[in-house]
């Protein structure tokens, strides 16, 4: 029997992991469809019908097609009643973190990882990006001071979204140990039931009922 959720993505992609991690932490199995970015599968008409922006991830649930990983997390939190805000104020704080992650982390840490791993740009560009990413990680570390989770006293989709960007920091040549509050928060996320690291969770090809 097909799973209720189908996730389209790449095992190399932080935003794909963001959605996969949410499904895993909710205990929801999902059918997985690998999109080969190197082959340009994300620009084909079939994939553009799932995500008009031509990026992974995309998700299908209940006949609805959706994209933008942060928007998918908000959808899943509402659907499942898990990892959302306990109050309107918490929900607002969660939305703020989701936007911050897309704004700051995707443009700094995720881009530095992409440059280090795949694009290999001019060293001056890489140097600029590394300084920017270090500034953002430092800001994040300071914001975590005295906090167990990003919003309230329990994990929410804010933690899941930010974790999915931070998890690849070693591939961007940053060490969690250099940011002590990030390291402690990381350990708390990794201890959640159902948690898996990206390369343990996301298959390298199509697979049904991933959990
Ligand atoms: N804000 C988007 C970002 C998605 C994104 O950057 N996906 C990358 C892979 S990690 C991608 O598809 N890149 C190919 C492209 O942009 O053409 C989200 O959160 O879903």
């Amino acid at each position: 029997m097909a799973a209720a959720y189908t996730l389209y993505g790449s095992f190399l992609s932080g935003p794909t992991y963001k959605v996969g991690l949410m499904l895993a932490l909710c205990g929801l199995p999902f059918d997985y469809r690998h999109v080969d970015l190197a082959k340009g599968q994300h620009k084909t008409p079939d994939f553009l019908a799932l995500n008009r922006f031509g990026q992974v991830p995309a998700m299908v649930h209940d006949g609805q097609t959706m994209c933008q990983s942060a928007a998918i997390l908000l959808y899943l939190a509402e659907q499942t009643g898990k990892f959302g805000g306990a109050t309107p104020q918490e929900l607002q704080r969660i939305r703020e973190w989701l936007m911050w992650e897309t704004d700051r982390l995707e443009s700094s840490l995720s881009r530095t990882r992409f440059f280090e791993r795949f694009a290999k740009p001019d060293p001056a560009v890489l140097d600029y990006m590394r300084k920017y990413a270090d500034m953002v990680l430092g800001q994040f570390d300071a914001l975590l001071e005295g906090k167990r989770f990003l919003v309230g006293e329990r994990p929410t989709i804010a933690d899941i979204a930010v974790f999915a960007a931070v998890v690849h920091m070693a591939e961007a040549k940053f060490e969690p140990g250099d940011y002590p509050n990030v390291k402690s928060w990381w350990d708390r996320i990794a201890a959640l039931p159902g948690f898996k690291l990206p390369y343990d969770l996301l298959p390298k090809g199509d697979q049904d009922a991933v959990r």
Side-chain angles (χ1 to χ4, degrees):
M1 203 178 81
Y5 297 89
T6 304
L7 175 61
Y8 293 78
S10 163
F11 63 95
L12 296 165
S13 152
T16 303
Y17 175 61
K18 202 191 283 186
V19 177
L21 180 61
M22 172 67 174
L23 291 166
L25 294 175
C26 289
L28 294 168
F30 57 93
D31 292 339
Y32 184 76
R33 301 291 171 256
H34 175 62
V35 181
D36 193 330
L37 300 178
K39 287 189 179 149
Q41 282 174 356
H42 54 310
K43 305 297 181 197
T44 60
D46 280 357
F47 187 76
L48 290 171
L50 296 170
N51 182 346
R52 62 201 173 282
F53 303 122
Q55 291 184 309
V56 290
M59 193 180 82
V60 178
H61 176 240
D62 244 352
Q64 264 197 82
T65 297
M66 54 197 90
C67 65
Q68 286 295 333
S69 57
I72 298 175
L73 289 195
L74 284 164
Y75 173 87
L76 286 171
E78 201 173 308
Q79 280 281 317
T80 62
K82 293 180 180 172
F83 299 106
T87 62
Q89 179 66 33
E90 278 196 11
L91 178 58
Q92 179 57 23
R93 288 285 170 271
I94 287 171
R95 288 195 200 104
E96 291 164 6
W97 275 108
L98 296 181
M99 306 268 171
W100 180 81
E101 188 277 322
T102 305
D103 169 27
R104 283 299 208 193
L105 280 174
E106 275 190 17
S107 64
S108 64
L109 187 59
S110 306
R111 192 117 302 256
T112 305
R113 172 194 177 227
F114 176 74
F115 283 167
E116 287 282 7
R117 237 201 112 164
F118 306 104
K120 311 278 181 202
D122 186 293
V125 174
L126 192 53
D127 187 52
Y128 171 84
M129 290 307 302
R130 297 198 61 76
K131 287 187 180 123
Y132 177 30
D134 180 52
M135 185 275 286
V136 173
L137 280 169
Q139 182 193 26
F140 180 48
D141 197 65
L143 288 168
L144 276 170
E145 183 68 40
K147 293 177 82 73
R148 288 180 52 72
F149 296 105
L150 299 185
V151 178
E153 287 306 309
R154 54 192 184 85
T156 66
I157 52 174
D159 298 280
I160 295 170
V162 176
F163 185 82
V166 168
V167 70
H168 290 113
M169 67 193 290
E171 292 183 22
K173 302 206 173 121
F174 288 99
E175 284 307 319
D178 292 340
Y179 307 90
N181 295 321
V182 173
K183 175 73 178 71
S184 318
W185 167 80
W186 176 307
D187 292 343
R188 282 190 283 280
I189 306 284
L192 296 174
F195 175 87
K196 282 188 181 178
L197 285 166
Y199 299 128
D200 297 330
L201 178 62
L202 298 175
K204 293 193 173 55
D206 292 356
Q207 192 177 309
D208 289 341
V210 176
R211 50 175 74 240

